[in-house]
Amino acid sequence: MKYITTLILSFSFSFVHSESLELLEVDVISLKNSSPERILFVGNSYLYYNDSLHNHLRRMAEEQNPERKEFFGYKSATIGGSRLAHHNLDHLLDSKNIGINKPFQLVILQGGSAEVLDKASRKSFNLNAKKMIAKIKDSGGEALLYMTHAYVPPHELYDPGMIEKIRYTYIKAANDYDALVAPIGIAYINAYKARPDIQLHKSYDGSHPDILGTYLSACVLYATIFKRPSSEIQYNYYGDISNEDQKFLQEVADKTVKEFFNR
């Protein structure tokens, strides 16, 4: 794919073309509870495309813990095009409101893809992350920020330096408020570097994930949350993901997580 090849070539020079942002390293490298069974996803269409990300992660977790399957409570609350501020987190954190009898142990927060694009939006994201993370902690749970992936062509706002803005925005908020961040966006870049022909985005908009992008995200979350390699997972969306693609995406996810957290 020509547009993906262009993306990879441009990425190497992104510091030249993008505003200068501090290159932060993560402070929090793991959850206190590395085996959560009740997980809430809060975000937008990046989560619910392709049979919903929470379903893929749950199937992976159930594969490794079949004896605990009945205790798992995974929920996804999404609003199309939403930013963090658009969600009623108070309602969602009262887990009985959405069919889970016990409080969520982990809440995954995914912001709007455009929240990283300018200084004002990044500030708003940070302030809303602060409020939401505090509420999650007060409820007895832990928070994880879902680092979104960057746009690729034909998206009209494609910018080869967008990943820097994403990385900075999510790591800063995670460090500021003592939360974990999952390096989804970095994994996308790493996958495209290794295989420029792979399709992680929907080709028609250069924004939403295709099924391989969703599977990569699930693998990154699995390795980040449970501190186990996604390569141990057999689940391949009931055969829809080829063995070659599965192994490749698992390798990218595991390497990205290991390097990101220096584990």
Side-chain angles (χ1 to χ4, degrees):
M1 294 181 186
K2 184 177 180 180
Y3 74 85
I4 294 177
T5 302
T6 302
L7 165 69
I8 303 309
L9 293 176
S10 300
F11 179 71
S12 300
F13 303 97
S14 57
F15 283 97
V16 176
H17 299 296
S18 182
E19 64 182 291
S20 178
L21 294 171
E22 184 181 358
L23 188 62
L24 302 174
E25 301 298 330
V26 291
D27 291 340
V28 179
I29 64 171
S30 64
L31 297 171
K32 295 176 182 177
N33 177 6
S34 60
S35 56
E37 296 179 335
R38 299 183 301 280
I39 302 177
L40 171 66
F41 288 67
V42 179
N44 57 37
S45 53
Y46 278 20
L47 300 184
Y48 70 66
Y49 262 50
N50 309 307
D51 193 17
S52 192
L53 179 59
H54 79 290
N55 286 326
H56 296 286
L57 183 64
R58 176 172 182 156
R59 291 164 189 154
M60 292 178 175
E62 287 178 348
E63 177 186 304
Q64 295 300 306
N65 302 276
E67 73 285 354
R68 299 292 299 176
K69 183 176 179 178
E70 63 181 288
F71 298 100
F72 286 1
Y74 281 47
K75 287 286 184 173
S76 185
T78 57
I79 303 171
S82 67
R83 297 187 170 207
L84 288 184
H86 296 160
H87 296 279
N88 184 348
L89 190 64
D90 292 327
H91 176 79
L92 297 173
L93 287 178
D94 187 350
S95 59
K96 292 182 180 179
N97 287 332
I98 52 177
I100 301 296
N101 291 328
K102 294 183 178 180
F104 289 107
Q105 297 164 303
L106 176 64
V107 180
I108 297 172
L109 301 174
Q110 178 248 315
S113 59
E115 287 195 83
V116 307
L117 296 181
D118 58 67
K119 190 174 294 185
S121 291
R122 291 195 291 270
K123 182 177 180 180
S124 176
F125 175 91
N126 190 281
L127 291 174
N128 282 296
K130 177 182 181 180
K131 296 174 185 176
M132 296 176 88
I133 291 170
K135 289 180 178 181
I136 292 166
K137 290 182 178 181
D138 287 345
S139 75
E142 294 184 82
L144 183 152
L145 295 179
Y146 177 104
M147 183 193 292
T148 53
H149 54 264
Y151 303 143
V152 299
H155 197 285
E156 60 182 4
L157 296 179
Y158 163 65
D159 169 13
M162 185 179 179
I163 189 61
E164 297 166 34
K165 299 173 184 178
I166 294 170
R167 190 183 194 280
Y168 173 84
T169 302
Y170 279 82
I171 294 179
K172 186 176 190 306
N175 287 353
D176 285 349
Y177 310 118
D178 193 33
L180 188 66
V181 57
I184 309 292
I186 296 173
Y188 268 63
I189 293 295
N190 289 342
Y192 278 136
K193 281 184 175 180
R195 272 184 54 185
D197 63 325
I198 198 166
Q199 185 170 334
L200 304 179
H201 292 73
K202 295 292 187 186
S203 60
Y204 55 77
D205 68 2
S207 174
H208 291 94
D210 210 331
I211 181 57
L212 295 185
T214 293
Y215 188 82
L216 175 60
S217 299
C219 289
V220 173
L221 285 176
Y222 182 89
T224 298
I225 294 168
F226 302 112
K227 297 179 67 175
R228 298 175 64 92
S230 66
S231 58
E232 71 182 9
I233 298 299
Q234 300 298 313
Y235 170 74
N236 59 3
Y237 197 27
Y238 309 110
D240 278 8
I241 297 172
S242 71
N243 289 337
E244 178 185 2
D245 286 339
Q246 179 186 22
K247 290 179 181 179
F248 170 73
L249 294 171
Q250 289 175 338
E251 288 174 1
V252 169
D254 293 343
K255 183 177 180 181
T256 299
V257 169
K258 182 178 181 179
E259 292 178 350
F260 185 72
F261 294 111
N262 194 25
R263 288 180 177 172

